[in-house]
Amino acid sequence: MVTKKIFGFVLVIMFLLLGSSSAKTYKVGGSNYGWTVRDDSWAEHKKFHVGDSLVFEYDKNVNDVTQVSNASQYESCDNSSPKAVYNTGHDVVTFKEPGHHYFITSNHIQCVGGLKLDVLVVHGPSSPSPPPPSRKIHGPSRQIPSPPPPSKNHGPSHQSPPPPPPPSKILPSAERMHAVGDTSGWSVYNSYYYEKWSEDRQFRVGDTLFFEYNKHINDVREVSNELDFESCNPTSTVAVYKTGHDIVRLTRPGVHYFVSLKSGLCHAGIKLRVTVQPSTEDVTLPDAPKRLSPIDYLNRWWLRIFRPHH
């Protein structure tokens, strides 16, 4: 009996050791650089599981590790509402849940220069398989509502469709809104990107542009001429926007120029040129025939019958 208990205890210890040995530890940036330079290829061919850990090594006097909640904060280097902040210079972060994990540095210059890390974490090999992806997507802050239960008045094969998503709280639905840069927003360091974005759309008077960006490191300035647009010169500035969620209404036809001049981002490629066409309401329609009143109709009928014939 004692032998069986000892054998069972050994099996339990072996199981725990094998389970814990499957977790891996990765030094971010490799042994040569650490958390100091941009290296897009470091995480490209690695597969991260729940239970794995990242080690961030850096100079804590000039840097830190800030974990943010979503892709928008990651792309715009927005550290205003971090999920977690590490600043020991030798930080160990263990993944406790699957999904995208976003890390940036609160040093804006380094973050804008590319010191950031997006890691996709999946379930461990011994973890139970996730439920079918009909209720939840394993990514930060994205939820899909569950379908409502079947109606009692319908057969078993009929279900009421889920309610439509609520309208945007920012974009007015009565106008045609163009989100500048689409999901990338006003933060791409490539003027060709915005040139292509503009060419693929048609703008008319009455439309609006929506600029979304990190207000701490960026802004939107409208300038009035091509020369200032090309040279990133603020001399002909028409308007300045800096809320981070700016809505600009296009009120006249012609070419409109928008640049970012904060921190020299215009020279980095954040600039936009849009050509605005007249509104469709400006087209003149032919006058509709005037409708006769009952009295006028009766008078015409009376004259047609009783007028003298020549």
Side-chain angles (χ1 to χ4, degrees):
M1 180 65 69
V2 175
T3 305
K4 289 184 178 180
K5 288 184 177 180
I6 295 175
F7 181 71
F9 179 75
V10 171
L11 287 179
V12 170
I13 295 298
M14 291 178 63
F15 176 78
L16 292 175
L17 290 174
L18 289 174
S20 61
S21 63
S22 61
K24 297 181 179 180
T25 300
Y26 300 91
K27 181 180 177 181
V28 175
S31 58
N32 294 328
Y33 301 106
W35 182 239
T36 57
V37 297
R38 176 178 180 175
D39 185 2
D40 294 334
S41 63
W42 178 81
E44 184 176 349
H45 300 295
K46 294 178 176 61
K47 190 170 184 179
F48 303 91
H49 297 87
V50 172
D52 291 351
S53 299
L54 298 181
V55 177
F56 295 84
E57 289 191 356
Y58 54 92
D59 183 354
K60 65 179 181 179
N61 296 316
V62 297
N63 207 353
D64 66 3
V65 178
T66 301
Q67 185 173 6
V68 294
S69 302
N70 54 60
S72 176
Q73 293 175 332
Y74 172 81
E75 293 293 343
S76 61
C77 293
D78 181 4
N79 64 343
S80 59
S81 56
K83 187 175 182 180
V85 178
Y86 308 91
N87 51 20
T88 67
H90 185 89
D91 306 321
V92 180
V93 180
T94 301
F95 298 122
K96 298 180 180 179
E97 59 182 0
H100 280 276
H101 294 251
Y102 302 97
F103 302 93
I104 64 173
T105 170
S106 63
N107 185 320
H108 286 300
I109 296 177
Q110 293 193 37
C111 183
V112 171
L115 187 56
K116 55 175 65 175
L117 178 66
D118 175 7
V119 176
L120 176 60
V121 178
V122 298
H123 283 279
S126 60
S127 302
S129 299
S134 59
R135 292 175 179 265
K136 182 177 181 181
I137 293 178
H138 293 292
S141 72
R142 292 190 61 195
Q143 295 285 340
I144 295 180
S146 302
S151 173
K152 295 181 179 180
N153 298 326
H154 296 282
S157 61
H158 296 281
Q159 289 187 350
S160 301
S168 170
K169 296 180 180 180
I170 299 177
L171 309 184
S173 58
E175 301 172 342
R176 194 165 69 153
M177 175 72 68
H178 305 274
V180 175
D182 295 328
T183 56
S184 297
W186 186 237
S187 60
V188 179
Y189 305 135
N190 187 343
S191 58
Y192 175 75
Y193 176 85
Y194 292 108
E195 181 180 345
K196 185 69 170 60
W197 179 87
S198 177
E199 289 177 352
D200 292 339
R201 287 159 179 77
Q202 187 177 61
F203 306 91
R204 292 191 176 276
V205 171
D207 290 356
T208 49
L209 301 178
F210 176 58
F211 293 85
E212 187 171 19
Y213 55 91
N214 181 358
K215 66 180 181 180
H216 300 293
I217 61 173
N218 204 352
D219 64 3
V220 179
R221 296 170 188 254
E222 183 175 3
V223 295
S224 62
N225 62 66
E226 179 83 15
L227 181 61
D228 286 353
F229 172 78
E230 294 292 346
S231 62
C232 297
N233 192 322
T235 304
S236 64
T237 297
V238 175
V240 178
Y241 309 90
K242 48 187 177 181
T243 68
H245 302 278
D246 304 325
I247 296 177
V248 180
R249 186 177 177 86
L250 302 173
T251 58
R252 58 178 177 79
V255 183
H256 294 246
Y257 305 97
F258 300 92
V259 299
S260 171
L261 293 179
K262 201 169 182 179
S263 304
L265 297 183
C266 177
H267 292 287
I270 303 183
K271 52 171 56 178
L272 172 68
R273 179 197 293 109
V274 297
T275 302
V276 181
Q277 305 295 331
S279 171
T280 53
E281 298 177 356
D282 295 339
V283 178
T284 303
L285 300 176
D287 294 334
K290 183 178 179 181
R291 187 173 180 178
L292 297 177
S293 66
I295 298 298
D296 292 334
Y297 183 83
L298 182 60
N299 288 336
R300 289 196 178 190
W301 176 80
W302 181 269
L303 291 175
R304 187 165 58 248
I305 295 178
F306 294 99
R307 65 182 179 180
H309 298 278
H310 297 286

